[in-house]
Amino acid sequence: MPEAAAAAPKKFVLQQYKTEVHVDWCPGCGDFGILSSIQQALYQLQIPPYKIAMISGIGCSGKTPHYIDTYGLHTLHGRALPVATGAKLANNQLTVVAVGGDGDGYGIGAGYFVNSGRRNVDMTYIVFNNGVYGLTKGQASPTLPKGLKTKSMPEASIQEGVNPIALALGAGYTWIGRGYALDVKNLVSLIVQAINHKGTSFLDIFQTCPVYNDLRTKEWYAGEDIGRARIRRLEADSTWDPVVKDPTNIDEMVEKKTRALRASYETQDSLAVGVFYSVDLPTYDEQLALKVPALKEHPLVDLPLYQRDVDPLFAELA
Amino acid sequence: MPTELSRREFSWVLGGPQGGGINASAEIYAKALSRGGLHVFANIEFHSNIMGKHSYYRVTAAPVPVHSHVDEIHMLVALDQESLFGDAPERKHYPSHTGHVHQVARGGGVIYDADLKIDPGQFGRDDINLYPIPYFEVLEEALKEVGKGGQSRKYIVMRNTVALGASIGISGYDEELLFEAIRNEFTGRKADAAEMNVAAVRAAAAYARSHFNAKPERRLTPVPPEQRKHRMLIKGFQAVGIAKLKAGLGMQTYYPISPATDESVYLEQKGPQYQCTVVQCEDEISSINMAIGAVHMGVRAATSTAGPGFALMSEGFGFAAITEAPGPVVFLWQRGGPSTGLPTRTEQADLQFALHPAHGDFPHIVVAPGDIDESFVDSFESFNWADRYQMPVVVLLEKFLASSMFTNDGIDMSKLKIDRGLIYQPQEPDGDGYRRHALTADGISPRAVPGTPGAIFSTTSDEHDPEGHITEGIENRIAMMRKRMAKLETAAREIPASSKFTLHGPRRADLTLVGWGATKGAILDAIGELEADGRTVNFLQIRLMRPFPADAVAGILRGARLTVLIENNYSAQLGALIAEQTGVALDHHVLKYDGRPFSRNEIVEGVRAALSEQKKEVMVSHA
């Protein structure tokens, strides 16, 4: 990496995190709130744009990297996490943020969602969760609750919706949060925390799809039908403390996970957002560096590869 | 008519239940032969099973080069009854094999456990030598020698060594070479085991010598010490693993699958000292995508798999191609298909799959090395091609090559150089003009390494413009398709002919054999016998399957008098490729799809049958 060629540190302006590419999401899409929050978070963190890799799956959310002026890989449906993992392990000096939809992450990519949790590579995974497959015109996604029928579905869903927070707790994610696309201020703060976390941070975001999900609308989240907001901030409860203080203490870990699990299973009339769980555990990258100590100082991509002497390996076979 | 090889080679088989330690014993034996200056070829056949099923290790050695096995066995060493007569008694329906006694050459020998109390008449052979050895008793004797008397049950796995020792005693090879190989295998904390095994060999050899006078006709002697050459004994997965390290591999991803896993595990052992990382993934979709993430970041990455895993890599393969990723290099170790098929057996039935790994039109490279040296060179060069042409590469290998051992005089690495291709260097750190997929005459756009200031790009699995953003524009689509496919023409132009094919033997011959991959050894070894029939023979070995050297191959085949295609598959997949690319239909096909590698006899007899019976297609399977 031509680190020496990098200009002296300077203040990056918000504009530097935006591209001129036309954003082709539908008017009023919740994705706009998420895009803006990611841009603002990166700006707040002042991470040089060339030190960031945005990696996405397929679907409306998959287009996000095109709108953020950093290195970007818009990959395959459900495969953002493996690509992001490879990218981070190749260059541990990059800030790697994977984004995708709920179908992408909890449906076709479910295996990678689980295994990325247990791997704990130092990166962030953001899921745009709107309950429908938007880009294929509104089929039920894995998070759509059973019995719901959005306007583009011929029949109500007869499958239970998955609980991403519960799944993430079981998978072993070391930072688990949830936000709401239309509360940008809170979302920026959550994304900043997620990126700052060492290990894989997972942020599920309630996102409105005004075209295909006519049930989980802005008005529904605002609770216009029940007379109070459905979104509830976890931290509003003064006893809420999602951070495991002693990662070697299994009791504390289980207690915090149990509480997070309970919060994730509140009724559809009370949807918790905020940090559900956080623990400091060794990352996969750190453990790889135990095997290849040079990785502590240099990213894999900078390690020398031209002068490897393999004669000792041949000698073993003589 | 016998050739020098067929007159002088010695074919030895150790058979026994899986998990019974035959691998270690056979490999120690092979090493003792190699260190005695002999050329060795050893291959193993085993079931997809951990304990109990029949497996056997065949070691073929000769004072002249040997790369293949023959049907005949000069010395059969059986650890159990099944190795002698097969599994018909246990399996009422469809016995899987009939044992090895019927393969023993006239005048050959069979070593077996005297405790099995087999009536010699059961062998049905009065033309072979029987050597019943009481394995348990001899083992007990040996253990007494090293102060471990009464512990035979505990060390029952050493029955292998007893059998091996008896075989040395009977066929008369230098015992010291075997002791050296044993001590070489058991070092450090296992040094005690070395001496126990040495004692077992001594006791067994002594027992055999004192109890049997009849010697088998074919025996083996080491090459005189002053004529011995220092050679390696190397398996295909090791050659590929070392080549990858030499090529600067930074990351290997894999999901466990036979027969590819050995290579990844080897890299897990040897990689870290070369700063190479290995990641075990949750499936092959993850493996290929993780490798793609790494290559886009500028690291050389590879993944190794077999057919079932390659099937899962399909979409990732296309993704790498459309995003012009510099790789990854996918090592496809073929096994018997389709589906789960024959997980531990060999086949060459994934050629057409490797040529068509994903939907859509896209460029990629497929290379199929034929032996240890070619696997090394092709594995190394594949990383250069991936970087230069920014496309995924398949190195097509076989189970047979992965697990077979060959003596090797050393691999010529003098011509191998790492070439990372065109890398974009921004003029200024704030530069904004970089186009990751810039349209160029040869199709190659300089690639940037993420993390570089002034070279920010995005790319996508959607069709995209030169800047890597999505577009469905018509002109752009045409330009991008042409640009990507132009790289394949560039590769075809630049890759040297020596990597594409080899015409072994004379330019013109009465008979031209055509083949690919690891059948090379058996074909080359068979040529001598086929020439003894009174015709000249050459062998066209195809290595680069895509881009295919169509003009050169067409030229050779159009000038050939008589052609016979030899493939380890059902449908003559190379034959189809040659016909598609050149319009030439080969005269005869000799095919084998029983999951086992060709023996030399199968090649010779298959070719003879095709020619004498004027058959378009001959299937061979010498069970």
CSV table of all heavy atoms in Angstrom, one decimal, chain B residues 439-456:
chain,number,residue,atom,x,y,z
B,439,LEU,N,-12.0,0.9,-21.1
B,439,LEU,CA,-12.0,0.2,-22.4
B,439,LEU,C,-10.6,0.3,-23.0
B,439,LEU,O,-10.1,1.4,-23.2
B,439,LEU,CB,-13.1,0.7,-23.3
B,439,LEU,CG,-14.5,0.6,-22.8
B,439,LEU,CD1,-15.5,1.4,-23.7
B,439,LEU,CD2,-14.9,-0.9,-22.7
B,440,THR,N,-10.0,-0.8,-23.3
B,440,THR,CA,-8.7,-0.8,-23.9
B,440,THR,C,-8.6,-1.8,-25.1
B,440,THR,O,-9.5,-2.7,-25.2
B,440,THR,CB,-7.6,-1.3,-22.9
B,440,THR,OG1,-7.9,-2.6,-22.5
B,440,THR,CG2,-7.5,-0.3,-21.7
B,441,ALA,N,-7.6,-1.7,-25.9
B,441,ALA,CA,-7.5,-2.5,-27.1
B,441,ALA,C,-7.4,-4.0,-26.7
B,441,ALA,O,-8.1,-4.9,-27.3
B,441,ALA,CB,-6.3,-2.1,-28.0
B,442,ASP,N,-6.6,-4.3,-25.7
B,442,ASP,CA,-6.4,-5.7,-25.4
B,442,ASP,C,-7.3,-6.2,-24.3
B,442,ASP,O,-7.3,-7.3,-23.9
B,442,ASP,CB,-4.9,-6.0,-25.0
B,442,ASP,CG,-4.5,-5.2,-23.8
B,442,ASP,OD1,-5.3,-4.5,-23.2
B,442,ASP,OD2,-3.3,-5.3,-23.4
B,443,GLY,N,-8.2,-5.3,-23.9
B,443,GLY,CA,-9.3,-5.6,-23.0
B,443,GLY,C,-8.8,-5.5,-21.5
B,443,GLY,O,-9.6,-5.6,-20.6
B,444,ILE,N,-7.5,-5.3,-21.3
B,444,ILE,CA,-7.0,-5.2,-19.9
B,444,ILE,C,-7.0,-3.8,-19.4
B,444,ILE,O,-6.4,-2.9,-20.0
B,444,ILE,CB,-5.6,-5.8,-19.9
B,444,ILE,CG1,-5.6,-7.3,-20.3
B,444,ILE,CG2,-5.0,-5.7,-18.5
B,444,ILE,CD1,-4.3,-7.9,-20.6
B,445,SER,N,-7.7,-3.6,-18.3
B,445,SER,CA,-7.7,-2.3,-17.6
B,445,SER,C,-6.8,-2.4,-16.4
B,445,SER,O,-6.9,-3.3,-15.7
B,445,SER,CB,-9.1,-1.9,-17.1
B,445,SER,OG,-10.1,-2.5,-18.0
B,446,PRO,N,-5.9,-1.4,-16.2
B,446,PRO,CA,-5.0,-1.4,-15.0
B,446,PRO,C,-5.9,-1.5,-13.8
B,446,PRO,O,-6.9,-0.8,-13.7
B,446,PRO,CB,-4.3,-0.1,-15.1
B,446,PRO,CG,-4.4,0.4,-16.5
B,446,PRO,CD,-5.7,-0.2,-17.0
B,447,ARG,N,-5.5,-2.4,-12.9
B,447,ARG,CA,-6.3,-2.6,-11.7
B,447,ARG,C,-5.7,-1.8,-10.5
B,447,ARG,O,-4.5,-1.8,-10.4
B,447,ARG,CB,-6.5,-4.1,-11.4
B,447,ARG,CG,-5.2,-4.8,-11.1
B,447,ARG,CD,-5.4,-6.3,-10.9
B,447,ARG,NE,-4.1,-6.9,-10.7
B,447,ARG,CZ,-3.5,-7.1,-9.5
B,447,ARG,NH1,-4.1,-6.7,-8.4
B,447,ARG,NH2,-2.3,-7.7,-9.4
B,448,ALA,N,-6.6,-1.3,-9.7
B,448,ALA,CA,-6.1,-0.5,-8.5
B,448,ALA,C,-6.2,-1.5,-7.3
B,448,ALA,O,-7.0,-2.4,-7.3
B,448,ALA,CB,-6.9,0.7,-8.3
B,449,VAL,N,-5.3,-1.2,-6.4
B,449,VAL,CA,-5.3,-1.9,-5.1
B,449,VAL,C,-6.1,-1.1,-4.1
B,449,VAL,O,-5.6,0.0,-3.7
B,449,VAL,CB,-3.9,-2.2,-4.6
B,449,VAL,CG1,-3.9,-2.9,-3.3
B,449,VAL,CG2,-3.2,-3.1,-5.6
B,450,PRO,N,-7.2,-1.5,-3.6
B,450,PRO,CA,-8.0,-0.7,-2.6
B,450,PRO,C,-7.1,-0.3,-1.4
B,450,PRO,O,-6.3,-1.1,-1.0
B,450,PRO,CB,-9.2,-1.6,-2.3
B,450,PRO,CG,-9.4,-2.5,-3.5
B,450,PRO,CD,-8.0,-2.7,-4.0
B,451,GLY,N,-7.4,0.9,-1.0
B,451,GLY,CA,-6.5,1.4,0.1
B,451,GLY,C,-5.6,2.5,-0.5
B,451,GLY,O,-5.0,3.3,0.2
B,452,THR,N,-5.5,2.5,-1.8
B,452,THR,CA,-4.7,3.5,-2.5
B,452,THR,C,-5.4,4.8,-2.7
B,452,THR,O,-6.5,4.8,-3.2
B,452,THR,CB,-4.3,3.0,-4.0
B,452,THR,OG1,-3.8,1.7,-3.9
B,452,THR,CG2,-3.3,3.9,-4.6
B,453,PRO,N,-4.9,5.9,-2.2
B,453,PRO,CA,-5.5,7.2,-2.4
B,453,PRO,C,-5.6,7.5,-3.9
B,453,PRO,O,-4.7,7.2,-4.6
B,453,PRO,CB,-4.7,8.2,-1.7
B,453,PRO,CG,-3.7,7.4,-0.8
B,453,PRO,CD,-3.6,6.0,-1.5
B,454,GLY,N,-6.7,8.1,-4.3
B,454,GLY,CA,-6.8,8.5,-5.7
B,454,GLY,C,-7.1,7.4,-6.7
B,454,GLY,O,-7.1,7.6,-7.9
B,455,ALA,N,-7.5,6.3,-6.2
B,455,ALA,CA,-7.8,5.2,-7.1
B,455,ALA,C,-9.1,4.5,-6.7
B,455,ALA,O,-9.4,3.4,-7.1
B,455,ALA,CB,-6.7,4.1,-7.1
B,456,ILE,N,-10.0,5.3,-6.0
B,456,ILE,CA,-11.2,4.7,-5.6
B,456,ILE,C,-12.1,4.2,-6.7
B,456,ILE,O,-12.2,4.9,-7.8
B,456,ILE,CB,-12.0,5.7,-4.7
B,456,ILE,CG1,-11.4,5.8,-3.3
B,456,ILE,CG2,-13.5,5.4,-4.6
B,456,ILE,CD1,-12.0,6.9,-2.4
